[in-house]
């Protein structure tokens, strides 16, 4: 009871604030960087269609589950699972470890984006587009550390101010700005000569490219994009007001997340298409897409300097609202578990994340010969969290809610102030379809290269 009171006092002050903060978490590097090339690779329109269907069924069910667990227990991720069922304590630990692993390297990448923003803003966009610029940048530990430190410090400042004064206030400004920026550049890129062919390629369903891989890729992307299985939605749920409607909130977050991903594709696919003269492989450049191909595209386009600034500002905002959600998840665990105040908890998280982040930075520079399972630190952290730990956490969560605590645990929380409209679908999803999907994702990430 005591904690419920505390949550009400310190939680989100409005439904809009909650929805924007959770959308801020969901909208991140994944939407802007990964979604466009996956869509282009796995059949354009058909990928979009599959993604959309999965979002309103699979993604919806997992997200609503996490938010309901958070709000019902009023706890951070570690304690929340234990409160649902004592035997699931290890699940709380596993889920809680994920943001601890992701936060540091996410901020390292956030630092890269910040560097590109400053490059374009200071008029050196042309230099940033030159061959070897990115490789040079990440192979030196100096500038990368500086921008990483700035990025993590900015994240921490918001988190130190707390849920309402920090996260909610910032999300209410950043998210509308982000939306305006992305709409602005997508309109601009579509006016470039030849862009419409790229757009057609992006949205036209090509059935010949449809396969089970399309579904697995869409599922994996969706799951990551909605910030599931890492305790974030549980944490944000624990700060949600009891009178707000969880079901409509989740629908709104989904729409926000999907629109931004779709618009990012509308910028990137046509722009790269024009630049490369229709060469589709240019889209498939992995990390190079954002840091090598796009700077080149901007450099070659009329008004590209400004587009570059706007684009990288957009990516900084997207990455920052996600890193805020990661940091808040870890901070709330420390507060809950150790009973520490917000400020010292934040400082501890920043300190530990800084050290872990340095591993990722050194992994690309002075320790580049050192690899774990043939991966550099950053790629290794990314791999174990996304491909192994998260599917396991999601699978166990489905088992916990579908079979142990029963779906009524979630349904009751959602029905508190409204009718749970998708209840029938929800039950089937959580008990049968979502666990199956998670097994598929786990299997594919262990044994298939997509
Ligand atoms: N949902 C984010 C994205 O699409 C990913 C994310 C990962 C967010 C980790 C927070 C933490 O990029």
């Amino acid at each position: 009871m005591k904690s419920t009171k505390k949550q009400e006092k310190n939680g989100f002050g409005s439904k809009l604030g909650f929805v924007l903060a959770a959308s801020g978490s969901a909208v991140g590097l994944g939407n802007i960087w990964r979604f466009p090339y996956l869509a282009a690779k796995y059949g354009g329109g058909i990928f979009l269609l599959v993604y959309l269907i999965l979002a309103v069924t699979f993604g919806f069910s997992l997200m609503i589950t996490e938010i309901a667990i958070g709000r019902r227990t009023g706890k951070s991720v570690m304690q929340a699972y234990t409160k649902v069922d004592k035997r699931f304590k290890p699940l709380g630990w596993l889920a809680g470890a994920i943001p601890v692993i992701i936060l540091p390297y996410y901020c390292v990448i956030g630092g890269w984006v910040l560097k590109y923003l400053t490059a374009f803003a200071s008029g050196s966009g042309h230099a940033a587009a030159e061959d070897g610029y990115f490789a040079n940048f990440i192979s030196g530990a100096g500038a990368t550390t500086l921008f990483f430190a700035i990025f993590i410090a900015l994240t921490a400042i918001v988190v130190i101010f707390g849920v309402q004064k920090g996260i909610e206030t910032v999300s209410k400004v950043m998210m509308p700005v982000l939306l305006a920026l992305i709409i602005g550049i997508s309109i601009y890129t579509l006016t470039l000569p030849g862009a419409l062919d790229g757009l057609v390629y992006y949205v036209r369903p090509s059935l010949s490219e449809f396969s089970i891989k399309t579904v697995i890729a869409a599922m994996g992307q969706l799951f990551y994009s909605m910030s599931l299985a890492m305790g974030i939605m549980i944490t944000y749920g624990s700060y949600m007001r009891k009178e707000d409607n969880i079901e409509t909130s989740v629908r709104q977050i989904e729409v926000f997340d999907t629109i931004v991903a779709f618009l990012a594709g509308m910028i990137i696919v046509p722009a790269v298409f024009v630049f490369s003269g229709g060469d589709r492989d240019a889209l498939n450049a992995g990390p190079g897409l954002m840091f090598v191909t796009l700077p080149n595209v901007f450099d070659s386009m009329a008004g590209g300097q400004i587009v570059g600034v706007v684009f990288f500002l957009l990516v900084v905002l997207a990455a920052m609202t996600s890193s805020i959600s990661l940091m808040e998840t870890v901070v709330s665990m420390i507060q809950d578990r150790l009973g520490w105040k917000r400020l010292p908890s934040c400082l501890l998280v920043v300190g530990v994340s800084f050290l872990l982040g340095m591993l990722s930075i050194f992994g690309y520079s002075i320790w580049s010969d050192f690899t774990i399972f043939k991966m550099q630190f950053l790629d290794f952290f990314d791999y174990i969290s996304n491909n192994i730990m998260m599917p396991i956490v999601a699978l166990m969560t489905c088992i916990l809610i579908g079979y142990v605590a029963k779906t009524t645990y979630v349904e009751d929380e959602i029905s508190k102030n409204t009718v749970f409209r998708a209840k029938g679908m929800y039950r089937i999803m959580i008990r049968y379809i979502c666990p199956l999907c998670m097994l598929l994702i786990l299997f594919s990430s262990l044994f298939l290269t997509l």
Side-chain angles (χ1 to χ4, degrees):
M1 226 27 238
K2 198 174 128 244
S3 76
T4 317
K5 266 197 206 131
K6 197 181 91 198
Q7 305 296 351
E8 272 169 13
K9 202 168 66 192
N10 296 336
F12 292 108
S14 64
K15 181 179 172 215
L16 181 70
F18 169 77
V19 168
L20 289 179
S23 304
S25 175
V27 172
L29 295 168
N31 299 56
I32 300 175
W33 184 359
R34 211 157 151 257
F35 182 89
Y37 80 79
L38 286 180
K41 185 170 170 194
Y42 291 106
I46 195 80
F47 178 90
L48 301 178
L49 189 69
V50 170
Y51 185 88
L52 221 62
I53 294 172
L54 286 171
V56 296
T57 51
F58 162 79
F60 167 82
S61 306
L62 289 175
M63 184 179 266
I64 212 164
T65 301
E66 292 197 15
I67 295 178
I69 292 178
R71 194 172 75 175
R72 180 158 178 170
T73 59
K75 294 281 181 202
S76 68
V77 51
M78 255 181 175
Q79 284 82 358
Y81 282 113
T82 318
K83 201 165 169 186
V84 181
D85 190 296
K86 280 207 180 61
R87 289 164 296 177
F88 279 71
K89 192 172 181 177
L91 178 58
W93 280 87
L94 185 64
I98 297 172
V100 176
I101 297 175
I102 297 184
L103 175 65
Y105 81 77
Y106 204 84
C107 288
V108 169
I109 301 176
W112 298 352
V113 181
L114 208 53
K115 162 78 182 173
Y116 275 75
L117 171 62
T118 56
F120 274 91
S122 64
S124 22
H126 182 66
E130 264 162 23
D131 276 356
Y133 181 88
F134 180 59
N136 235 334
F137 167 59
I138 60 168
S139 64
T144 38
T145 306
L146 176 71
F147 283 98
F148 163 52
I150 299 176
F151 192 88
I152 204 167
L154 291 173
T155 304
I157 291 173
V158 178
V159 175
I160 285 171
F161 273 98
V163 178
Q164 205 172 80
K165 281 209 208 101
I167 301 175
E168 183 167 351
T169 314
V170 163
S171 306
K172 277 182 170 163
V173 178
M174 282 188 177
M175 296 313 287
V177 171
L178 185 151
L179 202 58
L181 295 181
I182 200 165
I183 292 176
I185 354 180
S186 45
I187 293 174
Y188 179 73
T189 37
L190 285 184
T191 62
L192 297 175
L196 288 180
D197 292 338
L199 180 68
V200 169
Y201 171 65
Y202 176 49
V203 295
R204 194 187 49 208
S206 73
L207 279 174
S208 58
E209 278 164 73
F210 178 81
S211 71
I212 183 74
K213 284 186 175 181
T214 308
V215 181
I216 298 180
M219 224 149 52
Q221 167 63 13
L222 177 70
F223 172 63
Y224 177 77
S225 187
M226 291 180 74
S227 301
L228 297 168
M230 48 183 134
I232 293 180
M233 291 301 159
I234 295 187
T235 309
Y236 276 13
S238 75
Y239 299 135
M240 189 184 190
R241 294 190 310 184
K242 287 281 184 196
E243 66 264 36
D244 289 338
N245 184 325
I246 300 185
E247 190 173 12
T248 54
S249 302
V250 172
R251 290 287 181 218
Q252 288 157 2
I253 300 165
E254 260 172 1
V255 169
F256 205 124
D257 188 51
T258 308
I259 286 182
V260 174
F262 179 73
L263 289 178
M266 243 169 76
I267 297 169
I268 290 171
V269 179
V272 172
F273 217 74
V274 170
F275 173 75
S276 62
D279 173 17
R280 301 157 35 160
D281 290 338
L283 278 167
N284 209 353
L289 177 64
M290 176 129 67
F291 298 109
V292 180
T293 315
L294 282 179
N296 260 306
V297 172
F298 296 146
D299 189 43
S300 70
M301 95 182 20
Q305 198 75 22
I306 300 171
V307 178
V309 175
V310 176
F311 178 81
F312 282 107
L313 177 62
L314 158 81
V315 186
V316 166
L317 294 179
M320 185 84 65
T321 42
S322 294
S323 66
I324 290 170
S325 71
L326 282 165
M327 190 179 281
E328 177 60 33
T329 302
V330 185
V331 165
S332 75
M333 277 194 284
I334 297 177
Q335 286 183 299
D336 249 14
R337 193 157 168 87
L338 304 178
W340 287 19
K341 290 230 163 58
R342 181 166 281 272
L343 182 65
S345 309
C346 266
L347 295 179
L348 176 67
V349 175
V350 170
V352 172
S353 303
F354 190 78
L355 295 178
L356 286 174
M358 287 316 291
L359 286 181
S360 293
I361 288 185
F362 287 151
Y364 277 126
S365 53
I366 52 176
W367 295 341
S368 59
D369 292 336
F370 181 82
T371 53
I372 316 171
F373 300 119
K374 301 208 195 91
M375 284 177 264
Q376 318 252 262
F377 279 112
L378 194 152
D379 305 81
F380 175 72
F381 289 145
D382 187 58
Y383 183 81
I384 47 161
S385 51
N386 289 310
N387 296 8
I388 318 279
M389 294 165 82
M390 284 161 58
I392 294 178
V393 169
L395 177 65
M396 295 306 292
T397 308
C398 291
I399 293 173
L400 171 65
I401 296 300
Y403 299 93
V404 182
K406 300 285 181 319
T407 49
T408 44
Y409 190 90
V410 165
E411 290 158 18
D412 289 350
E413 185 61 30
I414 294 163
S415 319
K416 269 225 165 88
N417 42 22
T418 166
V419 183
F420 185 7
R421 281 183 292 175
K423 186 149 89 182
M425 174 195 82
Y426 174 74
R427 285 194 181 165
I428 298 172
M429 290 305 300
I430 283 299
R431 288 172 63 95
Y432 308 107
I433 315 238
C434 293
L436 215 73
C437 294
M438 289 340 294
L439 282 174
L440 213 64
I441 293 183
L442 197 60
F443 175 83
S444 77
S445 58
L446 287 175
F447 304 110
L448 304 177
T449 35
L450 284 179

